[in-house]
């Protein structure tokens, strides 16, 4: 599964079921006055319930900020899902200028939600874009969607994954736990994780180890767990580590991981896009209090 290519030097390889391949490219008119281009109807224009319905090209005489697109998200499933959509802004040649990610929360079964995306949300370079493309769609059950802000969940905690890092073939993704409630929240040990495929089904033939299991040389990854009690407003971190080595066998690409902060906690499904190669191994570090 590909992820959006970061364009800024400081960016890291991106995260946030159904994973898409490259979507239908939607190119705006090049007329000097700008205009609206309706998009083709039917399944060829849709990816996993998401489709672009209209592209508005800039009016150069009016000094418009760039191309924009209207889109729809339709939930064809039987439960509410939260969708994360990555849009690429490109030249007509296909060169990617920047990407923008939209999250559409809690789309009920059978419902359609509409939205818009425009180049003003991306880098300045994207204002010269000539096309809009759906790069990737992910979806998780609405009651398991991660959140970094907003109302505190009923569980009293927030859990989410960061964008991760990749160096020397080792992949690392951070898990974050925040006590957003009103009571102390104790953890003592490792996050409980389940690896899921694009259909949110469990992948059983993955060896999940507490610690790096010999994979990670990252300082502190193999430190033993210690009790941590988070007061309201405090947070803790853990990490996932894996290699994407490919040898004999079928490579495993697992987009989703279901995380429980501890036994009995409410599940949260994150999207680290595990490209495990043929290793079949995933390491998990223990929770540690975040540095304030």
């Amino acid at each position: 599964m590909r992820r959006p290519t970061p364009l800024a030097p400081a960016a890291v390889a991106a995260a946030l079921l159904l994973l898409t391949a490259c979507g239908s490219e939607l190119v705006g008119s090049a007329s000097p006055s700008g205009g609206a281009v309706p998009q083709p109807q039917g399944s060829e224009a849709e990816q996993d319930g998401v489709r672009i319905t209209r592209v508005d090209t800039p009016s150069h005489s009016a000094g418009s900020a760039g191309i924009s697109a209207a889109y729809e998200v339709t939930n064809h499933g039987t439960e509410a899902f939260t969708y994360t959509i990555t849009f690429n802004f490109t030249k007509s040649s296909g060169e990617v200028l920047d990407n923008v990610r939209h999250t559409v929360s809690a789309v009920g079964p059978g419902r359609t939600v509409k939205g818009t995306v425009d180049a003003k949300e991306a880098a300045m370079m994207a204002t010269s874009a000539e096309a809009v493309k759906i790069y990737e769609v992910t979806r998780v059950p609405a009651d398991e969607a991660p959140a970094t802000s907003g109302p505190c969940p009923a569980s009293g905690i927030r859990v989410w994954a960061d964008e991760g890092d990749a160096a020397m073939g080792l992949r690392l993704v951070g898990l974050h736990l925040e006590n957003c409630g009103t009571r102390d929240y104790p953890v003592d040990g490792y996050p409980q994780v389940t690896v899921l495929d694009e259909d949110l089904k469990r992948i059983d033939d993955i060896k999940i180890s507490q610690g790096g299991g010999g994979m990670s040389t990252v300082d502190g990854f193999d430190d033993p767990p210690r009790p941590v009690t988070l007061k309201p407003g405090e947070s803790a971190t853990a990490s996932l580590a894996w290699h994407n080595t490919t040898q004999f066998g079928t490579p495993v690409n697992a987009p989703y991981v279901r995380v429980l902060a501890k036994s009995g906690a409410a599940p949260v499904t994150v999207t680290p896009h595990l490209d495990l190669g043929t290793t079949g191994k995933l390491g998990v570090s223990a929770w540690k209090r975040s540095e304030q």
Side-chain angles (χ1 to χ4, degrees), residues 177 185-191 210 219-230 235-238 261-262 285-290:
L177 165 63
Y185 192 85
V187 288
D188 182 8
Y190 299 85
Q210 295 182 341
D219 186 40
F221 194 94
D222 289 312
D223 288 351
R226 293 182 174 85
V228 176
T229 298
L230 301 176
S235 59
T237 60
K262 61 182 180 180
S285 72
W287 289 117
K288 293 182 180 180
R289 186 183 303 277
S290 301

Side-chain angles (χ1 to χ4, degrees), residues 113-292:
V113 176
K114 299 181 179 181
T116 59
V117 60
D118 61 55
K120 292 183 291 185
E121 301 176 63
M124 298 251 332
M125 190 166 52
T127 60
S128 61
E130 300 167 293
V132 182
K133 183 178 182 179
I134 300 172
Y135 179 81
E136 178 186 82
V137 178
T138 62
R139 67 173 192 174
V140 300
D143 57 0
E144 297 183 15
T148 60
S149 60
C152 186
S155 63
I157 61 169
R158 295 190 183 99
V159 176
W160 71 93
D162 61 29
E163 298 296 318
D165 194 7
M168 302 297 289
L170 176 68
R171 270 68 162 141
L172 284 172
V173 166
L175 299 177
H176 300 262
L177 165 63
E178 178 192 358
N179 181 358
C180 57
T182 58
R183 299 179 179 180
D184 291 356
Y185 192 85
V187 288
D188 182 8
Y190 299 85
Q192 297 185 11
V193 302
T194 304
V195 179
L196 307 175
D197 65 14
E198 63 271 16
D199 296 319
L200 292 172
K201 304 298 184 183
R202 176 174 179 157
I203 302 177
D204 291 318
D205 54 350
I206 303 299
K207 181 180 179 181
I208 300 173
S209 62
Q210 295 182 341
M215 287 188 299
S216 175
T217 57
V218 175
D219 186 40
F221 194 94
D222 289 312
D223 288 351
R226 293 182 174 85
V228 176
T229 298
L230 301 176
K231 296 184 178 301
E234 293 184 336
S235 59
T237 60
S239 295
L240 305 176
W242 71 96
H243 287 287
N244 69 333
T245 306
T246 300
Q247 296 178 340
F248 297 105
T250 303
V252 174
N253 293 299
Y256 302 100
V257 172
R258 181 169 285 126
V259 180
L260 277 66
K262 61 182 180 180
S263 179
V268 175
T269 298
V270 298
T271 314
H273 297 280
L274 304 179
D275 53 340
L276 300 174
T278 54
T279 66
K281 296 180 180 179
L282 176 67
V284 185
S285 72
W287 289 117
K288 293 182 180 180
R289 186 183 303 277
S290 301
E291 296 182 3
Q292 301 298 322

Side-chain angles (χ1 to χ4, degrees), residues 12-31:
V12 294
L16 174 207
L17 124 162
L18 303 175
L19 302 173
T20 70
C22 292
S24 303
E25 189 169 299
L26 303 157
V27 181
S29 166
S31 68

Side-chain angles (χ1 to χ4, degrees), residues 3 71 79 86 93 112 168 246 250 278 282:
R3 304 167 94 180
Y71 65 90
E79 64 176 307
T86 301
S93 63
T112 295
M168 302 297 289
T246 300
T250 303
T278 54
L282 176 67

